[in-house]
């Protein structure tokens, strides 16, 4: 049976498709891509296998859609949070906080994205490059108005991404709790004032 395109779906069809995606996110996030079967997804979602194939031709196709959808949702939330702020520092703080808040409700992001190293390396790279592009744009704007040192925006972007990735992993993914305020304060201190004690009061 041919796949139904998203723009052809009725309201009910959209809900069914999303239910299948949400179930796949949960199972693949917990068990892993290679250990998850379409049968498991359909049983837990409460739909027939034929219904699954109406929306997704293969297990890989639903995995790809999970990565695309999570990426889009995450980047949108970060963009909204940053748009409300004026200075570069305020934007970065808001962006980090939006990321941590989003991951609280999508903890399987870590597992699903890391699996893509084995499932599809190009997809793995695409995911991080999309995140990096948002950072780069913000950094370039800050450099233009002299709120950021004129360093390579891509280098800065990946440094900031690394900080967000592992701070989120430490508290949200491992501890299943929001990132403490004092931790976010220290992250901003490191980013904007560094580790050098010169000039310290």
């Amino acid at each position: 049976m041919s796949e139904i395109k998203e723009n052809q779906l009725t309201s009910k069809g959209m809900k069914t498709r999303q239910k299948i995606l949400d179930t796949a996110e949960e199972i693949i996030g917990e068990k892993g891509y290679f250990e998850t079967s379409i049968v498991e997804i359909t049983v837990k979602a409460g739909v027939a296998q034929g219904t699954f194939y109406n929306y997704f031709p293969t297990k890989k196709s639903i995995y790809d859609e999970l990565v695309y959808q999570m990426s889009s949702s995450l980047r949108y939330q970060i963009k909204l949070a940053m748009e409300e702020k004026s200075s570069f520092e305020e934007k970065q703080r808001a962006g980090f906080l939006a990321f941590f808040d989003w991951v609280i409700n999508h903890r399987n992001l870590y597992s699903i994205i890391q699996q893509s190293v084995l499932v599809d390396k190009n997809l793995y790279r695409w995911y991080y490059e999309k995140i990096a592009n948002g950072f780069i744009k913000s950094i370039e704007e800050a450099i233009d108005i002299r709120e950021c040192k004129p360093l390579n925006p891509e280098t800065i972007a990946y440094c900031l991404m690394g900080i967000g990735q592992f701070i989120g992993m430490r508290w949200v993914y491992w501890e299943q709790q929001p990132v403490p305020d004092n931790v976010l304060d220290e992250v901003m201190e490191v980013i904007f004032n560094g580790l050098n004690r010169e000039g310290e009061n």
Side-chain angles (χ1 to χ4, degrees):
M1 189 175 293
S2 62
E3 178 188 2
I4 300 174
K5 302 301 182 183
E6 190 169 356
N7 61 5
Q8 299 173 333
L9 294 177
T10 62
S11 176
K12 182 179 179 181
M14 289 290 289
K15 289 180 180 178
T16 300
R17 184 177 189 274
Q18 190 57 50
K19 184 177 183 181
I20 296 170
L21 276 164
D22 291 342
T23 303
E25 177 184 337
E26 179 183 350
I27 298 176
I28 293 174
E30 292 176 357
K31 293 188 63 176
Y33 174 81
F34 295 106
E35 289 73 27
T36 297
S37 69
I38 291 174
V39 172
E40 288 178 282
I41 295 171
T42 57
V43 168
K44 188 156 189 177
V47 301
Q49 285 191 56
T51 302
F52 177 95
Y53 289 112
N54 281 341
Y55 301 103
F56 305 101
T58 63
K59 183 173 73 170
K60 176 62 163 53
S61 70
I62 197 171
Y63 178 81
D64 290 349
E65 180 61 21
L66 276 177
V67 174
Y68 296 144
Q69 192 176 86
M70 295 175 92
S71 170
S72 178
S73 175
L74 171 58
R75 288 183 287 110
Y76 179 71
Q77 291 303 313
I78 292 174
K79 180 182 178 182
L80 284 182
M82 293 177 70
E83 283 178 346
E84 296 177 354
K85 304 300 179 180
S86 54
S87 73
F88 180 57
E89 183 170 352
E90 289 172 338
K91 286 179 181 291
Q92 292 307 309
R93 185 183 185 92
F96 274 100
L97 187 57
F99 170 69
F100 299 143
D101 286 345
W102 189 91
V103 173
I104 287 174
N105 297 312
H106 299 84
R107 292 182 60 254
N108 287 322
L109 172 78
Y110 278 99
S111 173
I112 289 171
I113 297 304
Q114 292 310 309
Q115 290 176 63
S116 64
V117 171
L118 299 176
V119 178
D120 186 338
K121 289 187 291 185
N122 290 329
L123 186 63
Y124 180 78
R125 178 171 180 170
W126 174 88
Y127 172 83
Y128 283 108
E129 286 182 341
K130 291 294 285 188
I131 300 291
N133 287 340
F135 271 104
I136 290 169
K137 181 179 178 181
S138 176
I139 293 162
E140 288 175 339
E141 291 173 353
I143 290 174
D144 287 343
I145 60 175
R146 304 179 68 83
E147 285 191 329
C148 179
K149 291 180 179 179
L151 303 174
N152 186 308
E154 185 176 18
T155 301
I156 301 173
Y158 278 91
C159 287
L160 296 179
M161 287 164 59
I163 292 172
Q165 173 84 354
F166 284 96
I167 292 294
M169 183 180 292
R170 166 64 178 82
W171 275 274
V172 181
Y173 188 64
W174 291 347
E175 304 296 336
Q176 300 185 40
Q177 68 175 50
V179 173
D181 290 341
N182 67 298
V183 172
L184 184 56
D185 290 341
E186 290 179 348
V187 165
M188 293 298 105
E189 176 67 21
V190 169
I191 292 172
F192 288 96
N193 296 310
L195 300 174
N196 194 323
R197 300 189 63 172
E198 183 179 350
E200 183 179 66
N201 292 329

